[in-house]
Amino acid sequence: MSEALDTTVRYTGKHTAVIVVTGDVDLHTAPVLRAEALTAMTQGARHLVLDMAEVDFVDSTGLSTLIVLLHAAQEAGGSLRVGSVPERLVRMVTMTGIAELLPVHDTVAEALAALDVAEGADDAGKEGVGGAADEGVVVSATASAGRGVEVSATASAGRGAEVSDVSATASAAPGVDDAVGGTGPSR
């Protein structure tokens, strides 16, 4: 288990974001992933795709976080999919039965294509979070696990989207609620 989790959020459509996850998703880092995904949803991305290619380990807390994010996305009228999942994690997701609830795709591109088919033309255009055609908005974050995880994020936007300073703080200490604040892409 590592002590760091890196995430990069890329808004790929009006209501879609890809979250690239790097590191271990465990008791100490799962709150960071949850905070990043929920922040993306508050920015308008109700459909999330987790790129798990660089994830080495997921414990029961990480699996539980995937279920929490799935339910949050569904409550927002969206969906959660995972792509580029390493084989050892595919086996874990399959053995635990999570694969029955959460679509697992070989690549992120396949997850996005399946999302377009399942959801219709809702996100078919390349309309960014700001509502104008752009290259997508990218938000990245790095966190170190421990008491009071500090997440510092940077953001960039393509044509037609404005981005203000982005920051979030999440606590990984057991029993402490996550606090997420800051602003993201303006609408």
Side-chain angles (χ1 to χ4, degrees):
M1 293 189 295
S2 72
E3 292 190 18
L5 178 78
D6 296 325
T7 60
T8 301
V9 180
R10 185 179 78 233
Y11 295 89
T12 60
K14 185 175 181 182
H15 300 290
T16 306
V18 174
I19 302 174
V20 180
V21 184
T22 305
D24 296 340
V25 184
D26 58 25
L27 174 67
H28 301 291
T29 61
V32 174
L33 175 58
R34 185 175 66 229
E36 284 295 310
L38 294 176
T39 297
M41 290 177 63
T42 64
Q43 298 301 319
R46 64 179 185 249
H47 301 290
L48 302 176
V49 175
L50 300 180
D51 180 345
M52 306 286 279
E54 297 298 319
V55 174
D56 295 319
F57 175 79
V58 178
D59 71 1
S60 61
T61 304
L63 293 174
S64 189
T65 297
L66 295 178
I67 299 300
V68 167
L69 294 177
L70 172 65
H71 289 297
Q74 289 173 338
E75 287 176 15
S79 62
L80 176 70
R81 295 173 179 275
V82 292
S84 300
V85 181
E87 185 59 36
R88 67 192 168 285
L89 297 180
V90 169
R91 283 192 304 268
M92 180 189 301
V93 169
T94 303
M95 286 188 326
T96 60
I98 292 174
E100 298 294 320
L101 304 171
L102 184 63
V104 177
H105 301 275
D106 289 337
T107 67
V108 170
E110 286 178 15
L112 289 169
L115 177 63
D116 285 342
V117 169
E119 301 301 325
D122 186 39
D123 287 332
K126 294 296 179 187
E127 198 171 334
V129 172
D134 66 288
E135 301 297 314
V137 177
V138 176
V139 178
S140 63
T142 302
S144 295
R147 192 169 186 89
V149 174
E150 186 68 28
V151 177
S152 168
T154 57
S156 63
R159 298 184 308 264
E162 296 176 28
V163 175
S164 57
D165 190 37
V166 176
S167 65
T169 303
S171 174
V176 178
D177 290 333
D178 294 335
V180 178
T183 59
S186 60
R187 296 183 204 230

